[in-house]
């Protein structure tokens, strides 16, 4: 029987590791494209690198998350932290493209400021050991708020540290590399945090032998259907990952690192807070309805960003978009956890996240081509918004009537 009350110590540790990791992702997302173009890579090669980064993440995450419930959730979290630290050290140490490419594929690094690697899936499964029903959606909302706030602080810290360093005579490359070293340090700090989590977060073995595919048994069909749709949403989002968006503001309006750090600080903070509202909406309207009805307006606002005539107008619309764009995240996570068995949760979260990574990884190489030309600089915003609306409507049509197995939320 799953307890209705969370195990406070483990949940607290997982919240802290999530916050530390997302701070690191926020750091890197602010400077990654700026750094890569500064060391001489073209926009097309940058897009290729980001695509291969996400491709490597997909394969590593697929292997780790589909085995975490059997081989050990804590062990996979520690392995992910090591890969994160390794990637940060390599990016800080060299400008040689083949080595950067190898680190990007094998290591864990986030171009978008959002989750990559095996962490999210395994942590969600571990948290779900202790909480069920509406309480899970609320806890996931706080979990995502902690991550969004940390990402916001990371973006702010990266933007202003680079600006301060350059203002005091430090070369921009040195400042950027300092950010990557800080990212590596975060990865190292995660290791003792994950080791401190108790064995209570490990999956309970299935009572009888069942045929398993990618760590899934009875829930394979619904997980694959959901994953396919999530891949479309992620593919669309890959055109406007945070690091590309920062680059767009530099090219279009001449924004500096300090301004961008402040902007994305508030953007990520606002998006995290919105998850708490989503949890309350889900109790009244259901998980799927909440996912869709908050996501469509945010995608309309995304399309409007490049149509704004001034920097301040574009920022205002962007912040409005961030205020509702992530309300589908805790509801989506809770929905996936609610339709699968306990011993499938790491795998289910992992498979859906891997499909999302697969969708996202295809887009940056195309976005890099579009961002390279002034004529198509803003086209990624229109592509992303349009495809996301298609995803929303399809999700609503396919899953509106499908209630969670727990029967506690529509």
């Amino acid at each position: 029987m799953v307890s209705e009350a969370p195990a406070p110590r483990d949940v607290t540790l997982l919240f802290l590791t999530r916050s530390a990791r997302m701070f690191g992702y926020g750091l890197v997302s602010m400077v990654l494209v700026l750094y890569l173009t500064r060391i001489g890579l073209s926009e097309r090669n940058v897009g290729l690198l980001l695509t291969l980064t996400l491709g490597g993440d997909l394969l590593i995450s697929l292997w780790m998350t589909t085995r975490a419930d059997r081989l050990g959730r804590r062990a996979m979290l520690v392995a992910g932290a090591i890969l994160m630290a390794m990637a940060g050290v390599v990016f800080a140490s060299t400008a040689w493209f083949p080595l950067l490419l190898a680190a990007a594929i094998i290591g864990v690094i986030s171009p978008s400021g959002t989750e990559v690697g095996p962490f999210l899936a395994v942590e969600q499964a571990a948290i779900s050991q202790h909480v069920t029903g509406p309480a899970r959606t609320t806890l996931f909302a706080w979990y995502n708020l902690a991550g969004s706030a940390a990402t916001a602080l990371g973006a702010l810290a990266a933007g202003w540290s680079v600006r301060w360093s350059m203002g005091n005579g430090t070369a921009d490359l040195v400042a950027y590399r300092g950010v990557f070293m800080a990212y590596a340090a975060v990865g190292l700090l995660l290791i003792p945090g994950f080791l401190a989590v108790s064995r209570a977060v490990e999956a309970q073995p299935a009572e009888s032998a069942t045929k398993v595919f990618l760590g899934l048994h009875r829930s394979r069909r619904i997980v694959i259907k959901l994953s396919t749709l999530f891949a479309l949403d992620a593919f669309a989002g890959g055109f406007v990952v945070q690091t590309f968006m920062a680059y767009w503001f530099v090219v279009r309006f001449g924004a500096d690192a300090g301004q961008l750090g402040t902007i994305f600080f508030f953007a990520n903070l606002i998006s995290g807070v919105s998850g708490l509202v989503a949890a309350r909406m889900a109790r009244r309207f259901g998980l799927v309805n909440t996912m869709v009805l908050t996501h469509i307006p945010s995608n309309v606002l995304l399309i409007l960003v490049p149509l704004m005539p001034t920097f301040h107008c574009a920022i205002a619309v962007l912040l409005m978009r961030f205020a509702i764009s992530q309300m589908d995240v805790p509801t989506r996570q809770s929905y996936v956890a609610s339709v699968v068995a306990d011993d499938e949760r790491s795998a289910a979260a992992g498979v859906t996240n891997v499909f999302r990574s697969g969708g996202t990884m295809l887009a940056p190489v195309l976005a890099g081509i579009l961002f390279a030309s002034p004529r198509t600089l803003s086209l990624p915003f229109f592509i992303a918004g349009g495809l996301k609306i298609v995803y929303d409507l399809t999700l609503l049509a396919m899953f509106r009537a499908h209630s969670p197995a727990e029967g506690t939320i529509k």
Side-chain angles (χ1 to χ4, degrees):
M1 179 68 68
V2 177
S3 171
E4 292 288 337
R9 181 178 176 275
D10 288 336
V11 172
T12 298
L13 283 170
L14 292 174
F15 268 59
L16 290 173
T17 55
R18 159 83 165 174
S19 298
R21 182 172 67 253
M22 296 305 291
F23 178 83
Y25 292 164
L27 287 173
V28 167
S29 69
M30 281 300 304
V31 303
L32 183 57
V33 170
L34 297 173
Y35 170 67
L36 294 174
T37 54
R38 177 64 180 80
I39 63 176
L41 298 187
S42 68
E43 287 86 350
R44 295 188 181 196
N45 281 340
V46 170
L48 175 63
L49 180 68
L50 299 190
T51 288
L52 293 176
T53 298
L54 295 166
D57 168 65
L58 183 154
L59 296 176
I60 291 171
S61 295
L62 180 63
W63 190 90
M64 296 175 75
T65 57
T66 55
R67 288 162 175 79
D69 288 343
R70 286 173 288 142
L71 301 183
R73 291 169 176 173
R74 294 178 303 160
M76 293 304 172
L77 290 171
V78 170
I82 294 171
L83 293 175
M84 180 178 172
M86 182 202 74
V89 169
V90 172
F91 270 76
S93 305
T94 184
W96 190 39
F97 184 71
L99 191 53
L100 290 173
L101 196 60
I105 294 172
I106 299 171
V108 173
I109 199 160
S110 175
S112 61
T114 56
E115 280 282 12
V116 293
F119 305 108
L120 180 65
V122 179
E123 286 180 350
Q124 286 175 357
I127 290 172
S128 295
Q129 290 284 99
H130 306 290
V131 187
T132 187
R136 179 190 293 135
T137 307
T138 301
L139 190 60
F140 279 166
W142 282 105
Y143 174 80
N144 284 288
L145 173 58
S148 295
T151 303
L153 288 171
L156 186 68
W160 283 100
S161 65
V162 168
R163 181 172 178 175
W164 179 85
S165 298
M166 293 171 62
N168 284 275
T170 302
D172 55 353
L173 277 177
V174 175
Y176 293 149
R177 284 171 174 156
V179 171
F180 286 106
M181 286 305 297
Y183 179 79
V186 170
L188 292 175
L189 286 172
L190 289 176
I191 295 173
F194 290 136
L195 289 174
V197 176
S198 77
R199 295 184 180 276
V201 303
E202 302 292 357
Q204 300 299 316
E207 294 183 1
S208 59
T210 53
K211 185 176 180 181
V212 175
F213 175 71
L214 295 178
L216 302 169
H217 41 91
R218 67 179 182 125
S219 308
R220 285 195 299 269
R221 177 170 294 186
I222 189 170
V223 170
I224 295 301
K225 286 181 179 180
L226 286 168
S227 297
T228 303
L229 286 177
F230 295 164
L232 174 62
D233 179 45
F235 174 70
F239 282 90
V240 287
V241 293
Q242 186 164 296
T243 192
F244 266 140
M245 200 174 291
Y247 180 76
W248 181 83
F249 276 105
V250 170
V251 174
R252 176 72 181 271
F253 295 111
D256 64 37
Q259 286 178 310
L260 293 173
T262 302
I263 291 165
F264 286 107
F265 168 77
F266 285 107
N268 285 289
L269 193 60
I270 290 168
S271 70
V273 172
S274 70
L276 301 179
V277 180
R280 298 189 66 177
M281 290 181 62
R283 291 174 183 268
R284 180 173 181 181
F285 300 111
L287 292 167
V288 173
N289 288 339
T290 301
M291 290 161 63
V292 172
L293 298 179
T294 59
H295 210 223
I296 289 178
S298 77
N299 296 323
V300 173
L301 290 169
L302 179 64
I303 293 171
L304 293 177
V305 169
L307 300 177
M308 296 298 102
T310 66
F311 173 75
H312 292 98
C313 288
I315 291 303
V317 173
L318 181 69
L319 292 176
M320 290 170 60
R321 189 251 174 179
F322 268 91
I324 55 176
S325 65
Q326 298 300 300
M327 292 178 73
D328 70 313
V329 175
T331 46
R332 182 183 71 231
Q333 294 166 349
S334 185
Y335 187 77
V336 172
S338 69
V339 296
V340 301
D342 172 71
D343 63 318
E344 295 179 291
R345 286 196 174 117
S346 288
V351 169
T352 55
N353 288 336
V354 162
F355 269 71
R356 288 184 62 81
S357 295
T360 304
M361 82 171 187
L362 300 174
V365 67
L366 302 175
I369 296 171
L370 298 175
F371 279 116
S373 171
R375 293 183 178 180
T376 56
L377 181 67
S378 297
L379 191 56
F381 289 85
F382 302 123
I383 295 174
L387 288 177
K388 280 176 170 288
I389 291 172
V390 172
Y391 153 78
D392 291 325
L393 296 176
T394 306
L395 179 70
L396 185 66
M398 292 180 65
F399 290 97
R400 186 177 184 179
H402 195 290
S403 297
E406 292 170 350
T408 52
I409 304 180
K410 294 180 182 178

